[in-house]
Amino acid sequence: GNANGLTYSQVASLIKTYKPKVVVNAQNSSAYFKYVKSGVNHQVWFENAETIKTKLAFARDLGISATFWRLGGEDPHVWTTAKTFH
């Protein structure tokens, strides 16, 4: 299938529009949801402050750094969370 990159605001808009159940995958600590638009199934995986907190704690426990790939499109609460892991 095809994949598209979305900003957190686009993800939040989809959640508001389709009201899906958002699930955090226990294996990789990433959030996702599914919805149907015009008969087509969609699945959206994304990070938020909750999932980033888990990943930052994991990096800290390993004694390694963490980086962000696409600045500007994230959950704005990520930065409040990240400040606690300096």
Side-chain angles (χ1 to χ4, degrees), residues 1-75:
N2 296 330
N4 297 312
L6 301 173
T7 64
Y8 186 78
S9 63
Q10 290 171 310
V11 170
S13 179
L14 288 171
I15 292 170
K16 184 178 179 181
T17 300
Y18 294 98
K19 298 175 182 25
K21 178 180 178 186
V22 176
V23 177
V24 175
N25 180 288
Q27 186 175 13
N28 61 22
S29 184
S30 289
Y32 74 94
F33 62 88
K34 299 175 182 180
Y35 69 97
V36 178
K37 179 180 178 183
S38 301
V40 178
N41 294 320
H42 296 271
Q43 188 174 77
V44 178
W45 288 79
F46 64 101
E47 301 298 335
N48 59 23
E50 176 187 351
T51 62
I52 290 297
K53 182 177 182 179
T54 302
K55 290 175 172 76
L56 290 174
F58 181 69
R60 181 195 58 212
D61 293 348
L62 291 176
I64 61 174
S65 299
T67 60
F68 290 84
W69 171 59
R70 185 179 175 192
L71 297 177
E74 67 282 337
D75 174 357

